[in-house]
Amino acid sequence: MSKIKINGAPGASVVINGEPGSAVKVAMPLSSDKSLAVWSYTALGVPHAVVAGGSYSIPNAYSNTAALAFVQTPTDGGASVSQRSGSALNVGPNTYTIRVTAADSSFADYSITLTRAAGGGGH
């Protein structure tokens, strides 16, 4: 018996033609890639890259910032990202969690902690 390697895009179907009149349709598995390519937040128009699992201090210049804008990009184009926590930036530690869901519906949660200083930043 011979082995063959079948390549196809995740989720696509590949048809293998055999003897005349016979064919086999093979569904390629969906991607399970739930990694994160980019995660950043923007405060006062300035983007800051972060790494999942990290803890960061918000610079004093942002101490009056009440909310952040987040950008998350999954590594695989077939994956999606959802924010599991709000974007409010309260004084003290703030934990933000996102979920990356792979095309095959498996998922991974990622978190960061941003600590905001109390007032006095002037912005």
Side-chain angles (χ1 to χ4, degrees):
M1 174 178 260
S2 297
K3 291 184 179 182
I4 59 170
K5 183 175 182 178
I6 302 170
N7 292 317
S13 293
V14 177
V15 176
I16 303 168
N17 294 309
E19 297 289 326
S22 69
V24 176
K25 187 175 185 179
V26 178
M28 302 305 293
L30 295 171
S31 173
S32 62
D33 186 350
K34 47 198 166 284
S35 61
L36 195 57
V38 174
W39 192 358
S40 66
Y41 70 90
T42 300
L44 299 176
V46 179
H48 302 273
V50 294
V51 176
S55 293
Y56 303 88
S57 293
I58 299 291
N60 283 341
Y62 304 128
S63 62
N64 291 330
T65 300
L68 301 172
F70 288 98
V71 173
Q72 306 98 357
T73 305
T75 303
D76 182 57
S80 62
V81 177
S82 60
Q83 193 149 330
R84 311 291 290 170
S85 57
S87 61
L89 180 60
N90 300 309
V91 172
N94 298 267
T95 299
Y96 303 96
T97 303
I98 61 170
R99 175 168 287 174
V100 178
T101 303
D104 71 354
S105 297
S106 60
F107 62 87
D109 290 341
Y110 299 92
S111 296
I112 57 167
T113 300
L114 300 176
T115 302
R116 175 184 164 192
H123 289 293

